[in-house]
């Protein structure tokens, strides 16, 4: 870590604290050259492995953008979408240490989205599950209704 004041490469850690519910560490540092103090944040990076084999860092914003399309024209706020993205990130971090396949993220989106808005869920599921016909929609709706009845019992 280079000092932001003098660009010296050597600093010492003065204080460390866990932040963001344990997903990051905040470190207070002091430059050994100019004695300037600065803060760094270290965060465990979750990598997404795409079908092509390419890896990229997990992005809550990508989750929000993908779900926002499914919610177009629905009464779903940006705050709702951000909360859903946080829930999805929390869920995928529980099942993966440092890498997760992209389709697992899609699976993690489905249930919170169904609870948020059923129409948006069907739209997202139709793309994610590659629906081919109206029958696929009907099957999914029957499954949703069956799950709903089971939760009432």
């Amino acid at each position: 870590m280079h000092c932001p004041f003098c660009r010296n490469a050597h600093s010492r850690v003065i204080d460390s604290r866990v932040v963001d519910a344990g997903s990051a560490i905040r470190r207070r540092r002091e430059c050994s050259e100019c004695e300037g103090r600065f803060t760094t944040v270290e965060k465990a990076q979750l990598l997404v492995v795409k079908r092509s084999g390419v890896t990229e860092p997990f992005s809550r914003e990508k989750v929000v953008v993908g779900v926002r399309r499914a919610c177009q024209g629905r009464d779903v706020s940006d705050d709702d979408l951000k909360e859903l993205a946080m829930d999805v990130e929390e869920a995928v971090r529980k099942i993966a240490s440092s890498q997760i396949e992209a389709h697992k993220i899609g699976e993690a989106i489905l249930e919170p989205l169904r609870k948020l808005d059923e129409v948006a869920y069907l739209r997202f599921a139709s793309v994610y599950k590659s629906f081919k016909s109206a029958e696929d929609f009907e099957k999914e709706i029957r499954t949703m209704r069956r799950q709903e009845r089971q939760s009432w019992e």
Side-chain angles (χ1 to χ4, degrees):
M1 173 55 56
H2 292 278
C3 171
F5 309 112
C6 71
R7 306 295 298 153
N8 181 36
H10 300 287
S11 63
R12 68 183 185 95
V13 175
I14 299 169
D15 181 44
S16 293
R17 295 181 187 189
V18 175
V19 292
D20 288 341
S23 67
I25 298 175
R26 179 186 167 274
R27 298 196 193 278
R28 193 75 182 137
R29 297 178 175 271
E30 182 177 69
C31 175
S32 58
E33 184 71 28
C34 71
E35 296 182 359
R37 291 187 175 194
F38 56 98
T39 301
T40 59
V41 177
E42 298 173 17
K43 191 167 189 166
Q45 191 173 44
L46 177 63
L47 296 175
V48 178
V49 181
K50 300 201 158 220
R51 279 185 226 141
S52 65
V54 173
T55 60
E56 64 181 43
F58 176 85
S59 167
R60 282 187 196 168
E61 190 54 36
K62 278 192 160 188
V63 172
V64 169
V65 167
V67 174
R68 182 176 284 132
R69 276 191 226 117
C71 294
Q72 199 167 6
R74 304 295 301 159
D75 188 23
V76 177
S77 71
D78 281 345
D79 288 341
D80 291 336
L81 294 177
K82 288 176 184 173
E83 189 173 329
L84 182 138
M86 286 189 324
D87 292 345
V88 168
E89 181 176 11
E90 190 176 303
V92 297
R93 283 191 184 276
K94 285 181 181 175
I95 60 173
S97 55
S98 62
Q99 289 188 351
I100 188 162
E101 295 173 3
H103 77 279
K104 296 276 187 192
I105 295 171
E107 289 173 8
I109 290 170
L110 289 172
E111 185 58 26
L113 184 56
R114 187 181 67 78
K115 289 177 181 173
L116 181 63
D117 187 280
E118 289 181 339
V119 172
Y121 165 82
L122 284 170
R123 289 175 178 172
F124 186 87
S126 71
V127 174
Y128 176 73
K129 295 181 178 184
S130 302
F131 288 4
K132 302 279 189 244
S133 66
E135 188 176 305
D136 293 334
F137 280 94
E138 290 171 351
K139 260 196 283 192
E140 192 66 32
I141 290 168
R142 282 193 298 273
T143 301
M144 286 171 56
R145 288 184 177 150
R146 191 171 37 253
Q147 289 172 344
E148 204 173 289
R149 277 194 302 268
Q150 288 173 352
S151 69
W152 285 93
E153 294 173 355

